[in-house]
Amino acid sequence: MPLKVTTAKTFKPKPEDAKLNFGNTFTDHMFNMDFDPDKGWHDPRIEPYGPIMMEPSTMVLHYAQAVFEGLKAYRTDSGSIQLFRPRDNFKRMNQACHAMCIPNFDEGFLLTALKQLLVLEKNWVPSASETSLYIRPTIIAMDPFLGVRTSYTYRFFIILSPVGAYYPEGFNPVKIWVTQDHVRAVRGGVGHVKTIGNYAASLYAGELAHKNGYTQVLWLDGVEKKYVEEVGSMNIFFVINDEIVTPELSGSILPGITRNSVIALAKMWGFKISERKISIDEVFDAGANGKLQEIFGSGTAAVISPVGEIKFGSRTIKINNGKTGPMANRFYQALTDIQYGKIDDPMGWVEPVV
Ligand code: COI
């Protein structure tokens, strides 16, 4: 499929690298592509970043038939730009399409188109430490129709945003709040899919957490409200008695690419790592017995995010005296060293762009 490129006539001022936070600045260009049943995916194009024209009846606005991804482009010390596991993101996005009744796309073509967009926007990839260009591929249902059914037409777009740390805390411990009153997802639903409704479902409890001074919500399973699932913006890891534990993929947890990378590194280093059910009581009991060494989250936006405090009902534990622990540090260092090309990539995760 030929990729049409229309360049912008005016260019936006770029923010200072040191002042970047998350997700509020967008580059000069974006990728767009449409789907209809006659033509399939067609008309792929790179064009100036701008609004998407849609009718108020557009289905995504009413029934949330949409999927998205998050990945990053990193600038190395030599000035080159590279991606981290982009093929895994497009593969997961296609799996999400299947779950949301959205037609599949050609992953190889999308990676080529993304690289072309990144070459055009290469000056937007920041170089200050801990900054990157966040990439948000998204597909939305476009039929103007109010009945509940799958849409016949779709828009695929990719936007780019230079970012710093996702949490205001940066790579410092965050405080998380465990809720038993609200659930994010249940098995058999779409909790394992990167679809927009999952994030809408997390907002109310997220607001409560913020009002109580916590950064994020740690979700429990939706049925027994007993087993730990994920944090919504990241997967979660516990270090208990020298065992690294992360909840197994139960069908209601996002299969994080950073999660998978942490597991692979832990295995390579010979650590004891388990993907298994872990109850919130096990976590708090380990805290009470002095066996809970660390908690940290993993995600593209969050990278590795240490957890310094966890609250559940009337119980609160401070972890590692509220400081970043050695495991979180080691995973953070190894992942970012690979992502920014500071060490050789032993896993074949890095994809050069330019
Ligand atoms: C990511 O880590 O890329 C995410 O999509 C999580 C969040 C920003 C929604």
Side-chain angles (χ1 to χ4, degrees), residues 155-206:
R155 165 69 58 90
F156 193 141
F157 64 87
I158 304 178
I159 55 174
L160 308 174
S161 174
V163 298
Y166 182 67
Y167 298 124
E169 289 89 340
F171 181 59
N172 290 307
V174 295
K175 290 163 71 179
I176 57 174
W177 188 73
V178 187
T179 176
Q180 219 172 18
D181 297 331
H182 306 89
V183 297
R184 173 186 170 272
V186 289
R187 227 167 276 179
V190 291
H192 61 302
V193 178
K194 216 158 172 61
T195 185
I196 61 178
N198 286 336
Y199 296 81
S202 75
L203 297 177
Y204 190 87

Side-chain angles (χ1 to χ4, degrees), residues 100-174:
M100 298 304 293
C101 304
I102 295 172
N104 281 149
F105 58 88
D106 179 337
E107 293 165 28
F109 175 76
L110 255 294
L111 182 56
T112 308
L114 170 61
K115 285 184 179 174
Q116 203 167 327
L117 177 62
L118 288 169
V119 170
L120 186 64
E121 301 291 65
K122 62 177 189 290
N123 293 337
W124 280 94
V125 182
S127 49
S129 88
E130 295 174 35
T131 63
S132 55
L133 188 67
Y134 186 76
I135 301 163
R136 175 54 65 87
T138 307
I139 304 177
I140 55 176
M142 288 298 283
D143 282 9
F145 182 63
L146 290 185
V148 179
R149 60 152 169 79
T150 61
S151 181
Y152 300 132
T153 58
Y154 298 89
R155 165 69 58 90
F156 193 141
F157 64 87
I158 304 178
I159 55 174
L160 308 174
S161 174
V163 298
Y166 182 67
Y167 298 124
E169 289 89 340
F171 181 59
N172 290 307
V174 295

Side-chain angles (χ1 to χ4, degrees), residues 171-173 239 293-296 304-308 319-333:
F171 181 59
N172 290 307
V239 186
Q293 293 151 286
E294 283 184 52
I295 305 181
F296 59 90
I304 296 294
S305 188
V307 175
I319 302 117
N320 196 38
N321 288 322
K323 300 211 174 64
T324 301
M327 281 289 189
N329 223 358
R330 183 156 179 194
F331 285 112
Y332 178 84
Q333 210 53 53

